[in-house]
Amino acid sequence: MTERCAWAGNDPLYVHYHDTEWGVPTDDARTLFEFLVLEGAQAGLSWITVLRKRERYRAVFDGFDPERIVRYDDAKKAELLADAGIIRNRAKIDAAILNARAWLDLRDAGTDPVAWLWSFVDGEPVQNAFSALGEIPATTPQSDAMSKALKARGFKFVGSTICYALMQAAGMTNDHVVACPRHREVREIARLRSRA
């Protein structure tokens, strides 16, 4: 790929993420919860910083299993705060645990968290057609609505910018620039998803 989105740069990890994952629609609950936690962890940092720590996050956060995360006690929090392999920010670690509780509360109340998150784009990926990185917004009315709804349900570190990053990562919106081959590929993946 020679015309990929400029933000991917030359870092092999970033390029791989761009070329295989970013923007691909996912209905996998664990993946969506992972993105929710990681996008919150990114607040104030670059995504590559989080991406480099992702495997360690997966290990110490029990594969992003909310059923396990919700049971983290003070000893586990202290262990996480001492782990240089993740972002050692107390508020972000607390938010991951609170978000696990809110995720499970949503499910236990009879609402499928996956379908609920996708409802902010009416269940179908938004197919944008941006020609330059500078055209891509940081927030949208959909991310504003998602942020407001998540906060009302008790989620933390879910501002509109974080929600839009989640939507981009999870394929709720296709924000690959049109010159990037992945724009067309992701659009086709979304089309096949709709037909399934």
Side-chain angles (χ1 to χ4, degrees), residues 29-175:
R30 190 75 60 90
T31 301
L32 283 170
F33 184 72
E34 177 179 347
F35 278 135
L36 183 71
V37 172
L38 292 180
E39 295 295 352
Q42 182 203 350
L45 303 168
S46 66
W47 180 244
I48 190 62
T49 299
V50 176
L51 207 54
R52 288 180 179 137
K53 295 177 180 288
R54 188 182 195 184
E55 288 308 315
R56 185 63 184 159
Y57 264 99
R58 286 174 171 167
V60 299
F61 276 90
D62 293 296
F64 293 100
D65 180 352
E67 298 272 5
R68 296 183 73 171
I69 294 170
V70 77
R71 296 194 301 267
Y72 288 0
D73 58 13
D74 289 342
K76 176 65 174 181
K77 285 194 233 181
E79 183 184 309
L80 292 169
L81 282 166
D83 193 325
I86 65 168
I87 294 155
R88 294 180 291 177
N89 177 297
R90 185 179 304 278
K92 291 176 180 180
I93 290 169
D94 286 344
I97 299 165
L98 287 169
N99 289 348
R101 168 48 50 211
W103 184 275
L104 295 174
D105 285 348
L106 197 62
R107 186 201 65 193
D108 294 346
T111 300
D112 174 12
V114 172
W116 185 70
L117 287 172
W118 273 95
S119 74
F120 293 96
V121 290
D122 297 325
E124 293 295 327
V126 175
Q127 297 299 322
N128 289 317
F130 300 118
S131 58
L133 193 60
E135 296 174 12
I136 302 172
T139 64
T140 62
Q142 293 99 328
S143 68
D144 292 345
M146 180 186 285
S147 173
K148 184 177 179 182
L150 283 166
K151 288 175 182 176
R153 298 277 190 152
F155 288 85
K156 303 293 182 194
F157 275 89
V158 287
S160 188
T161 302
I162 289 170
C163 286
Y164 196 60
L166 165 69
M167 293 168 74
Q168 291 172 312
M172 294 175 191
T173 179
N174 180 0
D175 278 356

Side-chain angles (χ1 to χ4, degrees), residues 123-125 187-196:
E124 293 295 327
R187 188 179 63 226
E188 179 62 14
I189 291 167
R191 187 184 70 79
L192 293 172
R193 173 187 176 272
S194 296
R195 291 174 57 188

